[in-house]
Amino acid sequence: MAYKRQIDRLPIIPADAQEFNVTCHYCIVGCGYKAYTWPINRQGGTAPDENKFGEDLSRQQYQDAEAWYAPSMYNIVRQNGRDVHLVVKPDVNCVVNSGLGSVRGARMAENRPSRVTGTQLQRIGDPLVWRNGTWQPTSWDDALDLVARVTARVITEGSEDDLVVSMFDHGGSAGGYENTWGTGKLYFGAMKVKNARIHNRPAYNSEVHSSRDMGVDELNYAYEDYQLTDTIFIVGANPMETQTNLFLNHMVKGLQNGARMVVVDPRRTLTVASAEQFAGKENVLHLAINEGTDLALLNALFTHIADQGWVDREFIEKSTFRDGVAVRQDAAHPASLGSFEHALEAVRMSVEEAAGICSVPAADIVKAAEWIAKPHDDGSRRKCVTAYEKGVIWGNDNYRTVGALVNIALATGNIGREGGGCCRLGGHQEGYFRPSDAHVGRPAEYVDQFLIRGLGAVHHIWACDHYKTTLNASEFKRVHKRRADMVKDAIDAAAGRSREEVVDAIMGAIRMGGLFVVDVDIIHSQIGQNAHVILPACEANEMNLTSMNGERRLRLSERYMDPWGNSRPDCLIAAGIARHMERVLREMGHGEYADRFKGFDWQTEEDAFMDGYHQANPEVTYERLRAMGNNGVQEPVVGFENGRLVGTTRLYTDGRFTRHGREDGKALFCAGAWRGWQAPGKAREKASHRFWINNVRANIFWQNQFLDQKNEFVQDRYPHPFVEMHPDDMVELGINPGDLVEIVNENGVTQGMAYPMPTLKRNTVAMVFGSPAGSQGNVVNPGVNELVLPDYKHTWGNIRKIADATPETRAISFKSHEVAL
Amino acid sequence: MKCNRMVDVGRRQFLRGGFVGAAGAAASAVLPAEAARARGLARVAYPSTRLANIRDLKVNEPMDIAYPDADSPGVLLKLGRPVEGGVGPDGDIVAFSVLCPHKGWLLSYSAGDRTLNCPGHHSRFDCEAGGQQIWGHATQNLPQFLLRVDDKGDIHAEGVDELIYGRLSNVLEA
């Protein structure tokens, strides 16, 4: 049964309701929303002077109306200790989304925790400590004391290398400048933790090392460039699904202005289907390459564009390195970097050869090259904006493939100019401000393997759930649980003893190979099952939070409700750990060490912001950001004039490239030739299994569904993770829509629900990533690139049915996702 | 691509707001306490509105309707096989709002796969699965009208299971 809320009326926002700026804390686009709150015993009315919109709400509102909100945009939450009405709705005046809501962000209100309406009661409200065989709620001081005592013993009896940290590096949601600074100052300032990893990958590294090494920051354009361009070139990204309002509010407008679109993706995505609807099929070129062959295609495009002379000679001469090799290939650089000619010589690939490798017509490759780079009939330069994301980042040969994309953009002079740019589309918003991570090294430690090898003694986890979002997940889970259980058993055996004796027992278990696990999260996560201490964090809008979006647009998303229960902002949790570390280390007689944990006397998230981001960006304060509203300011901020922060619309307009730190300001080309499957084990796995298991995203889920797993609207649509298959493959295997299936290979097993998708190629599967009810990472092998970037996208397995459709899966729609107009 | 049968009666009028016909224009002012008691029902009271007779419907041919008033366009469908929420002797008659719950664009019916589709942002809803959003941006499934068929075969709409786009009360207040 399709889920219906049976809501026939909503409270009306009164004219005097409080109004807050909100940036959606989900995807990188960072749509602007407005939150309205008002006392529980009051309501607005239908007359224009009785409601916030000044509209006559006794009448039907029409298409794109500001004065309407869905039931998902309403809730009752706590504000300053009192229950208040809450509406969170898209902001029509935000230039990012112009009033469009996404299926994710437009549920922000409904996904707030509420004691009144019962939403998101999965949120953790108290610190929990493993005692007496389960997690017992306790005070912050009690929980932080245990964290500090064990951590201090470990790093003083061993070293800081025995402390393993998994921590977000993003903005929005759990991250943001406040919280990356809080955690960063603790682990990279007070300590120099080397064995750290990021929320979605097994090491502390960049997802776009090559772009940065070439001098090009990965977020260098403005969203308006999509409306100013001739061609939108999308590789391994699916913005209609995953950066929805960037697609709808900017790319579609570009298409309607006459731009063409080239999409490189093995799968016919909704981006392709929708672009065809908006622009006409003749203006959309889909290159459905074989999986993992992007680099061959891109190198052929680069070669063809160069050979045709469709390059920007003046730009190459003025803005790029002109003298052969600038950086040699070595352990930290999976390809050499240097001049245009050096790269061209190294990567040269004919259109015909690429057509064979990629299984796309040579004529289509030529056509793509023409759309990207061939000058207009009047000789003027063609503008092209290039966008890429996980298909490349989590794909085959990350370093060289990202480099090959930037090569094309540089050669055609399409960076730092209107209608250009070469950018990742992004996942979360950004919001990174930490002390230097240089001590981590490059390549960084492969932390998952470090833990699997039995190394490390304490594991601090910040808003990461590796159970759902790492590779080689089956083995990781087995080992992590075994090591954590050793410590749990030791704690249980020491029940009733003093804190000192319990810590001794924990240290004893650690010496035997155990792992003490501290999990900071908003909910009890799957990896949190292994935790000994769970510390409850709050979310954006339960605290003030600053982040920037995919065009570097910095906003302050304001606090409009209280943190759930006794939860706290991550930055203040980090400060709490630091203060307890200082106290414990001093008690242990390590006064000098204790002194390194000074400087965490923050009372609020704003204190953390001022201590971190503001120090490097003295113009930027909460007050000034608040005044800039939902349109914020594009980073870097370069001044403050007439009461407004002054930003930067796009980077590198002066033709000087700086991301690599070179003083000459010259961009480098990447000499990364095609070399087949780069990561270990991929070719062998492909040869021995029938199905390619592509991991994909769906617009309805935010990341690993941490909130959506308790959202009925979402779970009603997909009661199990979808496993999209070609209908003919399903018939061959005797699988009906909604049947539960297992995906099996040597790495592990996962499961999901079969969903027929006629647009898929035969013998391929598109399985949703990160589901709590079936982790695709279980079947991904441990193969990574030279810089420990995982290739999640390339996994092969066999499929077997495990159960008939359940009553829930049988009831859902299995129709095509493509619009039928 | 535009060959599918559109539910487009009143489309232009709707887009520019011309759909407003008989709906009362008088806004309610703040009412005194005595009157507030009269309005104090916990749920809105839905009218029972005759939409059509079973004989008027042909399988998979959409009929334009409006419910609970003229400003809320909908579609009445006989799908030819029993479906969720279906009424009539064959359990196959359903009715939905055709205002997309994302941004209020008028949905068009695709007879080929029995879906309602949004031309604005490409959301789509399954008429055979209770209006479930197959894919899209709306944060609710499509409002379905509760139907009753009387002895004469007249089809009456008597309720709605989700908030209709563009109104904060499914039955507009006079």
Side-chain angles (χ1 to χ4, degrees):
Chain A
M1 297 288 285
Y3 170 68
K4 299 295 173 72
R5 293 183 183 80
Q6 304 294 351
I7 286 174
D8 54 17
R9 184 150 60 184
L10 285 176
I12 293 172
I13 307 171
D16 61 352
Q18 267 191 282
E19 185 176 321
F20 301 87
N21 295 317
V22 172
T23 306
C24 178
H25 53 92
Y26 297 132
C27 93
I28 182 143
V29 179
C31 292
Y33 283 73
K34 285 283 186 183
Y36 303 93
T37 62
W38 67 99
I40 198 71
N41 61 342
R42 295 196 52 245
Q43 60 184 320
T46 54
D49 62 349
E50 292 176 333
N51 64 68
K52 193 75 185 178
F53 310 108
E55 291 282 347
D56 178 0
L57 298 180
S58 70
R59 290 168 174 256
Q60 172 74 28
Q61 304 295 306
Y62 295 93
Q63 185 176 302
D64 302 323
E66 182 183 8
W68 187 73
Y69 37 99
S72 64
M73 302 178 198
Y74 173 80
N75 211 336
I76 296 174
V77 298
R78 284 244 141 182
Q79 183 187 69
N80 302 322
R82 294 179 178 206
D83 293 328
V84 295
H85 297 275
L86 169 71
V87 168
V88 184
K89 58 186 291 299
D91 181 359
V92 295
N93 296 314
C94 177
V95 294
V96 174
N97 55 312
S98 304
L100 290 174
S102 73
V103 67
R104 301 171 293 275
R107 290 184 289 108
M108 276 191 289
E110 183 175 75
N111 271 350
R112 306 302 337 193
S114 172
R115 302 195 307 172
V116 177
T117 62
T119 51
Q120 292 298 332
L121 295 181
Q122 63 168 334
R123 288 284 302 276
I124 311 170
D126 286 304
L128 302 168
V129 170
W130 183 266
R131 266 199 287 254
N132 316 325
T134 188
W135 293 279
Q136 300 277 331
T138 188
S139 71
W140 276 101
D141 278 344
D142 180 43
L144 292 175
D145 178 74
L146 181 59
V147 171
R149 283 184 189 282
V150 176
T151 305
R153 284 279 295 273
V154 163
I155 62 174
T156 52
E157 291 177 20
S159 77
E160 290 175 358
D161 291 351
D162 298 317
L163 169 57
V164 178
V165 179
S166 299
M167 55 180 172
F168 54 82
D169 73 338
H170 54 73
S173 205
Y177 289 115
E178 293 79 0
N179 294 329
T180 58
W181 175 246
T183 47
K185 188 173 183 182
L186 175 61
Y187 297 114
F188 292 170
M191 293 181 272
K192 294 284 179 209
V193 171
K194 182 169 170 291
N195 294 312
R197 59 160 282 173
I198 294 172
H199 57 283
N200 62 357
R201 52 194 187 270
Y204 205 89
N205 49 13
S206 167
E207 294 176 307
V208 290
H209 274 304
S210 51
S211 183
R212 294 177 181 182
D213 290 349
M214 295 162 78
V216 179
D217 188 275
E218 64 273 21
L219 301 175
N220 47 65
Y221 61 18
Y223 282 169
E224 69 180 22
D225 284 317
Y226 288 106
Q227 300 182 46
L228 303 171
T229 195
D230 296 311
T231 301
I232 300 169
F233 181 32
I234 293 180
V235 185
N238 186 9
M240 177 55 159
E241 194 93 56
T242 53
Q243 293 89 10
T244 311
N245 291 329
L246 168 59
F247 182 84
L248 291 173
N249 201 39
H250 301 275
M251 293 187 188
V252 167
K253 287 175 180 169
L255 296 174
Q256 289 167 337
N257 287 343
R260 290 162 163 167
M261 183 177 276
V262 179
V263 180
V264 179
D265 200 307
R267 185 171 62 116
R268 178 177 164 85
T269 60
L270 282 187
T271 296
V272 176
S274 280
E276 285 179 355
Q277 289 283 344
F278 286 115
K281 277 190 177 184
E282 67 280 11
N283 292 313
V284 179
L285 176 60
H286 176 207
L287 295 167
I289 60 171
N290 289 332
E291 70 268 24
T293 62
D294 308 65
L295 180 57
L297 174 79
L298 297 170
N299 282 347
L301 286 171
F302 181 65
T303 303
H304 187 72
I305 287 167
D307 288 352
Q308 296 298 316
W310 298 335
V311 296
D312 190 328
R313 273 283 155 205
E314 190 186 339
F315 177 87
I316 291 170
E317 292 296 340
K318 193 168 138 246
S319 293
T320 72
F321 182 79
R322 299 298 302 134
D323 192 21
V325 179
V327 179
R328 297 200 177 282
Q329 183 174 333
D330 59 23
H333 300 87
S336 64
L337 308 169
S339 68
F340 169 73
E341 291 77 11
H342 168 66
L344 181 59
E345 186 186 340
V347 310
R348 178 167 285 284
M349 166 149 328
S350 72
V351 166
E352 292 69 27
E353 194 184 351
I357 293 168
C358 304
S359 293
V360 294
D364 280 356
I365 300 178
V366 171
K367 190 179 187 182
E370 289 174 353
W371 286 15
I372 291 166
K374 187 180 180 184
H376 293 289
D377 291 342
D378 65 1
S380 62
R381 197 178 65 85
R382 191 176 293 270
K383 291 179 280 186
C384 177
V385 50
T386 300
Y388 61 95
E389 192 43 44
K390 293 291 190 285
V392 167
I393 288 171
W394 290 159
N396 179 32
D397 216 347
N398 165 300
Y399 191 91
R400 292 185 174 198
T401 306
V402 171
L405 275 167
V406 180
N407 277 350
I408 295 171
L410 284 173
T412 54
N414 268 309
I415 301 179
R417 290 177 173 169
E418 282 192 4
C422 181
C423 302
R424 68 173 299 183
L425 287 179
H428 295 83
Q429 285 189 78
E430 303 292 333
Y432 189 93
F433 192 81
R434 280 181 176 148
S436 167
D437 62 358
H439 64 279
V440 169
R442 176 169 157 173
E445 179 65 44
Y446 189 162
V447 166
D448 283 19
Q449 293 299 318
F450 183 84
L451 287 167
I452 287 169
R453 290 201 304 274
L455 301 171
V458 181
H459 190 190
H460 290 190
I461 305 167
W462 295 76
C464 307
D465 197 347
H466 310 327
Y467 266 45
K468 293 183 278 187
T469 58
T470 196
L471 70 172
N472 192 29
S474 299
E475 186 181 18
F476 180 85
K477 285 186 266 201
R478 272 195 303 273
V479 175
H480 200 267
K481 178 176 188 303
R482 189 178 69 234
R483 298 185 64 192
D485 280 349
M486 292 170 69
V487 174
K488 283 183 182 172
D489 290 345
I491 295 173
D492 290 345
R497 308 267 181 81
S498 68
R499 170 62 40 102
E500 289 71 20
E501 288 170 315
V502 171
V503 171
D504 283 342
I506 291 169
M507 293 304 294
I510 287 171
R511 281 189 286 272
M512 301 294 287
L515 186 69
F516 182 75
V517 178
V518 179
D519 188 33
V520 187
D521 211 323
I522 59 170
I523 60 163
H524 201 162
S525 66
Q526 292 190 349
I527 198 171
Q529 301 295 318
N530 295 340
H532 307 98
V533 178
I534 298 174
L535 302 174
C538 66
E539 278 199 298
N541 308 124
E542 298 166 33
M543 62 178 289
N544 295 290
L545 195 71
T546 53
S547 306
M548 74 171 193
N549 78 348
E551 54 174 349
R552 309 171 321 284
R553 190 176 294 278
L554 169 68
R555 271 84 53 90
L556 171 66
S557 190
E558 295 181 279
R559 170 174 163 158
Y560 57 69
M561 63 182 283
D562 299 345
W564 178 246
N566 295 311
S567 66
R568 292 178 178 175
D570 290 86
C571 54
L572 299 187
I573 297 173
I577 292 175
R579 289 197 295 265
H580 280 265
M581 289 288 290
E582 185 194 353
R583 174 181 56 82
V584 167
L585 284 166
R586 214 171 292 288
E587 280 175 23
M588 291 167 68
H590 300 286
E592 226 169 283
Y593 208 163
D595 288 342
R596 283 162 45 185
F597 291 85
K598 287 178 173 295
F600 286 91
D601 303 323
W602 309 325
Q603 299 304 309
T604 66
E605 59 271 25
E606 187 172 5
D607 293 342
F609 181 82
M610 297 304 283
D611 187 53
Y613 185 89
H614 172 79
Q615 294 300 318
N617 302 274
E619 302 287 7
V620 184
T621 64
Y622 269 20
E623 187 187 354
R624 289 177 179 181
L625 281 175
R626 202 171 275 123
M628 297 300 285
N630 276 338
N631 289 335
V633 58
Q634 284 177 272
E635 295 188 62
V637 175
V638 294
F640 181 71
E641 291 169 12
N642 304 320
R644 299 185 64 78
L645 292 166
V646 180
T648 308
T649 304
R650 51 183 70 74
L651 305 183
Y652 313 128
T653 50
D654 60 357
R656 280 184 54 81
F657 293 87
T658 51
R659 193 63 176 81
H660 43 28
R662 290 174 62 92
E663 286 185 5
D664 63 5
K666 305 288 189 191
L668 307 177
F669 286 85
C670 179
W674 164 250
R675 51 178 171 168
W677 291 110
Q678 177 274 326
K682 297 293 182 185
R684 189 174 65 248
E685 191 175 288
K686 177 178 165 70
S688 55
H689 298 89
R690 172 172 174 179
F691 288 95
W692 171 42
I693 315 297
N694 186 5
N695 87 70
V696 304
R697 309 292 174 111
N699 71 331
I700 196 170
F701 301 121
W702 172 242
Q703 296 290 13
N704 67 40
Q705 306 183 31
F706 54 90
L707 293 179
D708 291 337
Q709 64 186 349
K710 297 294 180 188
N711 185 289
E712 272 308 299
F713 171 72
V714 172
Q715 294 303 315
D716 171 78
R717 178 69 188 101
Y718 294 115
H720 291 255
F722 62 74
V723 176
E724 294 176 358
M725 302 176 67
H726 192 281
D728 294 345
D729 287 332
M730 291 175 63
V731 169
E732 261 184 36
L733 295 175
I735 295 168
N736 287 308
D739 285 355
L740 303 188
V741 296
E742 257 183 4
I743 297 172
V744 185
N745 65 14
E746 290 68 33
N747 310 309
V749 183
T750 189
Q751 73 170 66
M753 167 190 77
Y755 193 116
M757 191 56 70
T759 50
L760 278 178
K761 295 177 190 170
R762 292 292 304 272
N763 300 319
T764 69
V765 157
M767 178 175 181
V768 68
F769 132 104
S771 169
S775 168
Q776 204 265 352
N778 286 359
V779 292
V780 180
N781 85 350
V784 293
N785 85 345
E786 296 92 332
L787 301 178
V788 203
L789 266 297
D791 183 354
Y792 290 110
K793 285 278 184 182
H794 297 108
T795 293
W796 293 265
N798 297 323
I799 294 179
R800 71 178 190 95
K801 175 174 168 174
I802 53 175
D804 288 335
T806 68
E808 288 74 29
T809 64
R810 196 174 288 127
I812 69 169
S813 178
F814 287 103
K815 291 178 180 170
S816 163
H817 292 176
E818 290 190 19
V819 75
L821 294 173
Chain B
M1 284 306 291
K2 306 292 176 190
C3 60
N4 288 315
R5 194 178 175 85
M6 307 288 281
V7 179
D8 60 0
V9 168
R11 171 185 291 265
R12 288 187 175 78
Q13 292 90 323
F14 189 83
L15 294 181
R16 62 170 181 259
F19 229 89
V20 177
S28 59
V30 178
L31 294 171
E34 302 89 286
R37 277 206 298 276
R39 295 171 65 191
L41 296 171
R43 307 269 298 173
V44 302
Y46 285 100
S48 178
T49 305
R50 181 186 177 280
L51 302 177
N53 188 278
I54 286 179
R55 287 190 307 274
D56 304 331
L57 296 177
K58 290 184 181 151
V59 171
N60 208 20
E61 290 195 10
M63 175 185 284
D64 293 314
I65 56 162
Y67 182 80
D69 54 62
D71 284 341
S72 172
V75 62
L76 182 64
L77 286 161
K78 180 175 173 59
L79 294 167
R81 46 183 177 254
V83 294
E84 193 174 319
V87 298
D90 303 321
D92 67 340
I93 298 171
V94 290
F96 295 97
S97 169
V98 291
L99 296 181
C100 180
H102 175 224
K103 296 302 290 180
W105 291 51
L106 272 173
L107 303 171
S108 70
Y109 185 66
S110 166
D113 64 0
R114 295 159 187 240
T115 57
L116 285 160
N117 294 267
C118 177
H121 314 98
H122 298 174
S123 300
R124 55 196 245 106
F125 303 88
D126 192 342
C127 299
E128 296 181 301
Q132 186 171 58
Q133 183 168 244
I134 302 165
W135 190 90
H137 320 288
T139 50
Q140 62 195 61
N141 294 312
L142 196 59
Q144 183 166 4
F145 301 153
L146 273 61
L147 303 181
R148 174 178 63 85
V149 179
D150 67 19
D151 295 345
K152 293 179 293 190
D154 283 344
I155 305 162
H156 304 266
E158 301 192 323
V160 186
D161 61 7
E162 269 285 4
L163 196 65
I164 296 167
Y165 179 86
R167 46 183 68 196
L168 295 173
S169 173
N170 271 347
V171 177
L172 295 173
E173 290 185 17

